[in-house]
Amino acid sequence: MANLVKTKSKLKENMNKMFWATVIAIAFALIFLAFSLILAFNIIFKDADISLLVPLVLFVVCLIVFAFFIYFKKQYSILKSGVKGENRTYKILSKLSENYTLLTNPVIYNRGKKTELDFVLICSDAVYIVETKNYKGIIRGRCDDDEWTQIKERGNKTYTKKIKNPIKQSLKQVNMLTQCLSDSGISAQLFPIVYFADPNMAMESDWDQNNMICCIKDENQLVSYIVNTKGNIAIDAETKDRIVELITSKE
């Protein structure tokens, strides 16, 4: 089993926050709805001395809060899908041999900027940056596009939306980690990987146009690539510890 260095996942934290925001929103929506109905009942059937405008306003507030609930629920589903993809990738990478050191959700600080990576894997001759995407449906795009298109089908309907190009995202991560290591006098060869965790996703993109980023969909292919891809710069135990300390230390 790989040596594990865990840090808190911002994605999981955001998912938990969005979960409670969803719960609170639906609770308040039901409260406003209940009050508006009770007041309306008292006005209509018990001749309560209350303006009909009061329950109407409460009902409008209920609708507004319910709209927030719908938004929060959608965001929660997106974050939950991302966490599910990270968990699936973690199970794969953590099973690698003890020759590998696996860092989960490290945050890199460099030159006034910061970015959170999904996984960094360090062995005796290479550093792998694994960016996980848990997309569903069909993904279309080119390596040099800023955005790709995601196509999903539900029943007889087809939905499309734009998503950020994960290859360009991975390139930014590589550049930042390269600068971070270089500024600390550390030499290491980096291998960036974009791993698509959903086995049912269909890819219709020209991965071969970019030789620097390896895009992988199959679990066995991911493990095979990591095990068989060798760097040309040796990383001894001391250097590995320095890399781990550098990546896991706060700004």
Side-chain angles (χ1 to χ4, degrees), residues 10 28 34 39 47 58 103 112 126 130 139 188 196 215 223 249 251:
K10 289 292 183 182
F28 272 97
L39 289 176
D47 296 325
L58 289 175
L103 290 77
V130 183
I139 304 299
F196 299 97
C215 295
V223 174
S249 64
E251 185 180 25

Side-chain angles (χ1 to χ4, degrees), residues 78-120:
I78 294 173
L79 293 170
K80 184 179 179 181
S81 177
V83 170
K84 185 178 179 180
E86 284 191 357
N87 290 340
R88 190 176 296 166
T89 307
Y90 170 76
K91 289 180 181 179
I92 298 170
L93 298 179
S94 62
K95 292 178 181 178
L96 292 167
S97 72
E98 60 184 9
N99 296 325
Y100 294 89
T101 297
L102 177 62
L103 290 77
T104 64
N105 307 110
V107 179
I108 299 176
Y109 297 89
N110 184 253
R111 302 183 184 183
K113 299 179 180 179
K114 73 174 183 178
T115 185
E116 180 179 333
L117 310 180
D118 289 343
F119 301 96
V120 173

Side-chain angles (χ1 to χ4, degrees), residues 144-162:
D144 56 351
D145 289 339
D146 291 329
E147 293 181 327
W148 287 356
T149 301
Q150 181 181 21
I151 304 170
K152 293 191 292 185
E153 294 183 359
R154 293 179 183 173
N156 296 326
K157 294 184 178 180
T158 300
Y159 301 87
T160 63
K161 74 172 184 178
K162 295 294 183 180

